[in-house]
Amino acid sequence: MMSLLLHKEEHQDQLFEPISWLLEQYKEDTDVFHVTKSLSQLLEVLGEYKIPLPKGKFQAICSALHNQICSQAKPLSVENHVELVYCIVLLARSSPEDLIAFLHLQLKTENEAVRVASLNLLRAIVGADLPETRDKKCLIVKAVKSTLSDQNAMVRKAVLHFIRRLLSSESVENCAAWDMVEHVFRSSVCPPANWIFRKKALSKPCALTSCNVWTPQSVE
């Protein structure tokens, strides 16, 4: 009965009405965990009854949640961060392609915190292993691969964390994950042009300590 009622447009509008008000609370409250919790409960109901969010509402929620995670103006509590990420995962159930496209766009910004947060959210989506996103891993990998030339240390670390999570998930064989792994290993080795050979050190072909090596251990 509840499912039949909620699939009627007039009842859906009643569910959508609080969204704008909730998002506005992020601009006013110092402790916004209760706002995020209310939003996650609303998203759970929409997901349970397979009610799609209007595109405008979907984009507004994505932007608000992402801004909360990336904002350096307010300290983010652990419980609120966990709930924010959970909301993102719920959005991935609702419209995975739109969410991936949104996060892919954020990876192109100049702000380091935004790029790192977006990579971490893509990692969370892969880690959730949702039925709705399993066949979207190629799109997720494509988004992350766009950052492989990024020289920022925090971005590189986030990429490594993403690869680790991706390789521990199922069905990675068809999503070009190994191309990223190859890139990481190639980047972790000094190119021959930078090797320093000296007559006094013939027994040491490459002075690796003089090179800027990016290794998986750096993520620890």
Side-chain angles (χ1 to χ4, degrees):
M1 177 63 72
M2 180 65 75
S3 178
L4 291 173
L5 287 174
L6 289 177
H7 277 86
K8 291 186 177 180
E9 188 173 344
E10 61 268 24
H11 295 293
Q12 289 183 14
D13 289 342
Q14 293 178 11
L15 278 176
F16 299 146
E17 280 178 5
I19 292 177
S20 297
W21 180 84
L22 281 171
L23 299 184
E24 281 296 316
Q25 303 311 300
Y26 280 130
K27 301 176 182 178
E28 300 177 7
D29 290 351
T30 302
D31 181 13
V32 292
F33 171 69
H34 68 281
V35 178
T36 309
K37 188 66 178 178
S38 297
L39 190 57
S40 70
Q41 291 171 344
L42 178 58
L43 293 174
E44 283 175 345
V45 171
L46 295 175
E48 181 179 355
Y49 294 103
K50 309 295 183 185
I51 301 172
L53 277 164
K55 198 170 187 68
K57 297 287 187 185
F58 184 90
Q59 290 294 328
I61 295 173
C62 286
S63 297
L65 295 175
H66 198 268
N67 288 341
Q68 281 293 304
I69 293 172
C70 298
S71 176
Q72 298 176 346
K74 301 177 183 178
L76 195 63
S77 69
V78 173
E79 62 177 359
N80 193 32
H81 183 269
V82 170
E83 202 67 22
L84 286 164
V85 173
Y86 177 56
C87 285
I88 291 291
V89 171
L90 291 173
L91 289 175
R93 283 180 169 175
S94 172
S95 185
E97 289 190 12
D98 288 339
L99 179 60
I100 294 166
F102 171 83
L103 292 174
H104 193 173
L105 186 62
Q106 305 308 309
L107 292 175
K108 299 177 182 180
T109 66
E110 295 183 1
N111 188 302
E112 171 199 296
V114 170
R115 300 199 306 280
V116 171
S118 300
L119 287 167
N120 289 339
L121 290 173
L122 289 169
R123 172 164 58 95
I125 294 169
V126 167
D129 195 28
L130 304 171
E132 296 86 353
T133 60
R134 284 172 193 158
D135 63 345
K136 308 297 181 186
K137 284 184 180 176
C138 287
L139 290 176
I140 296 174
V141 168
K142 181 180 179 181
V144 175
K145 285 178 72 175
S146 70
T147 69
L148 291 182
S149 61
D150 197 318
Q151 299 300 307
N152 183 280
M154 296 303 295
V155 172
R156 285 185 163 192
K157 183 181 290 187
V159 170
L160 284 175
H161 282 306
F162 172 85
I163 292 174
R164 177 185 294 175
R165 180 62 59 84
L166 179 66
L167 295 181
S168 67
S169 66
E170 298 179 1
S171 66
V172 298
E173 64 277 1
N174 296 321
C175 65
W178 298 107
D179 290 346
M180 290 197 298
V181 175
E182 179 184 11
H183 178 89
V184 168
F185 278 98
R186 285 181 180 276
S187 300
S188 68
V189 178
C190 296
N194 290 343
W195 289 358
I196 301 174
F197 294 94
R198 299 192 182 191
K199 292 182 179 180
K200 294 182 180 180
L202 289 177
S203 60
K204 298 179 180 179
C206 177
L208 287 176
T209 55
S210 66
C211 302
N212 183 18
V213 182
W214 177 33
T215 62
Q217 285 79 4
S218 63
V219 304
E220 300 298 339

